[in-house]
Amino acid sequence: MTERTGQGRKIRVGVLFGGQSSEHAVSIASARSVMAALDPDVYEIVPVGITRDGQWLTGGDPMRHLLDAGGQLTNRPPAPNERTDLVTASGGPESAAGDLRRLDVVFPVLHGPLGEDGTVQGLLELAGIAYVGSGVLASAMSMDKAAMKAIFRDAGLPTPKTLLVMRHEWERDRDGVRQRLIETLGVPCFVKPANMGSSVGVSKAHDAGEIDAALAEAFRTDPGHRRAVVEEAITGREVECSVLGNDEPEASAVGEIVLTGHEFYDYEAKYSDASTRLIIPADIPAHIRDTVREYAVRVFKAVDAAGLARVDFFYDEAHDRVLVNELNTIPGFTATSMYAMMWQAVGVSYGELVDRLIRLAMERHAERNRRY
C-alpha cells in the first residue's frame, strides 16, 4: 500500500474528471470508481471536475454538479457551506495551476481530446506536480492514430496498413484520394478521425461509394476537423491486454471482445449493448496469448508510456498472426472495465491497481526531479 507523506499526513490526491470530449460521461463513471477505491485512511480525495465547456470546478461537490447538469453547470445555488469555484488556466489566484499545486498527486481520469492527448499532462508539468499515467509525448502520440501507427511500424510491430488523409487534399482531389485509398487499402476499409476515442466518428466503408460519407463523418468529429485515418479491414478477433508500470512494465491476462449484432466494436457496442461479452482469459492458443502480452509491453515501451495503458489487437486466426491496433493511455477505468478485469484475472484487485498507479506516479515524478 502507498505510504503517507514524510510528514505523516494523508496524501492529497486530485481526481480530475469530466472534460470536453465526447467521452465525458465515461470519464465520470471511471472517476467515481477511482474515488470509491481510494483508502480514506491514506488519501485525502480532492475531486476536480471539468464541464463540457471547459470550466474547472473545485471545492464543494463537483461530481454532483456534473451529474445534475449532464456536464453543464446548473442554475441551482450552492447548498449552505458548499463552495464551488469555477477556474480556468487564465484565472488569477484561483487558477487551475494554483489549485493543482496544493495537491501531492493528480489522478487524471479523462478520456479523449483535451484530457488524454497531452494537453492536461502539459498543464500538470507546468504546475510541477506528480500525475498518474503517461507524459505529454506518449499521450499525444497515442491519441493521434496516424502518429501512433508510425511508431508501431518503426518499432517493427505488425499493424494494419493505414493512410492519413488531410481534409484540404480531400476537398481538392476527391477522386484521386479515393483511388489511392482503394488501391492501397482495398474495400471494405475503416475511416476514423485522427484524434478521438471510444470509436466516435468511426465508419466502415463497404465500397468506394461509402468512402465520401465516412470521411465527412471523420472530419466532422476530429477535434481539428482536418485529419482522418483510413485503415485496411482485418478479419479477426478483437483481443486486449493491460499494461502496468513505468520502466519495467508488466502485462496482464489477455481478454477478448465478442460482439453480437455489430460489425465492429463501435460506441454502442462498448457502452450500451448488453450483448457485448468480455471473455477473460481469452480462449486463444498459448503462443498467441504470449505474443499478445509480449507486443503489449513492446508497444508500451515504444511510445514511452507510463503508469497504465490498454493495448488492443486483432487476432487473425486464418493467418495465425497478431496485429497491433492501438494503445489507450487512459482506458476506461471502472472496476468492471476491461483494463481492471484483465488484472483481476491474475490476482490484482481494483484497489491495488489504484494504489500502485499513485505510487508509480510519485516515483516517476521523483525520478524526473532527481539531481545528478
Side-chain angles (χ1 to χ4, degrees), residues 135-183:
V136 175
L137 181 62
S139 298
M141 288 192 303
S142 300
M143 193 69 207
D144 187 289
K145 292 178 173 61
M148 178 173 53
K149 295 289 187 180
I151 294 294
F152 294 168
R153 290 191 294 268
D154 189 62
L157 290 158
T159 189
K161 290 185 291 185
T162 304
L163 290 177
L164 173 66
V165 179
M166 302 297 293
R167 188 181 65 182
H168 70 86
E169 66 177 351
W170 169 248
E171 292 175 341
R172 184 179 63 241
D173 183 15
R174 296 194 177 197
D175 290 339
V177 170
R178 191 186 307 108
Q179 186 63 28
R180 177 166 60 95
L181 295 176
I182 294 171
E183 290 178 353

Side-chain angles (χ1 to χ4, degrees), residues 78-83:
N81 301 319
E82 175 189 355
R83 182 175 66 88

Side-chain angles (χ1 to χ4, degrees), residues 49-64:
I50 303 177
T51 67
R52 290 189 186 274
D53 59 2
Q55 294 177 305
W56 290 54
L57 289 74
T58 62
D61 191 347
M63 179 67 74
R64 188 175 74 183

Side-chain angles (χ1 to χ4, degrees), residues 183-194:
E183 290 178 353
T184 306
L185 306 175
V187 287
C189 58
F190 285 96
V191 183
K192 309 175 180 181

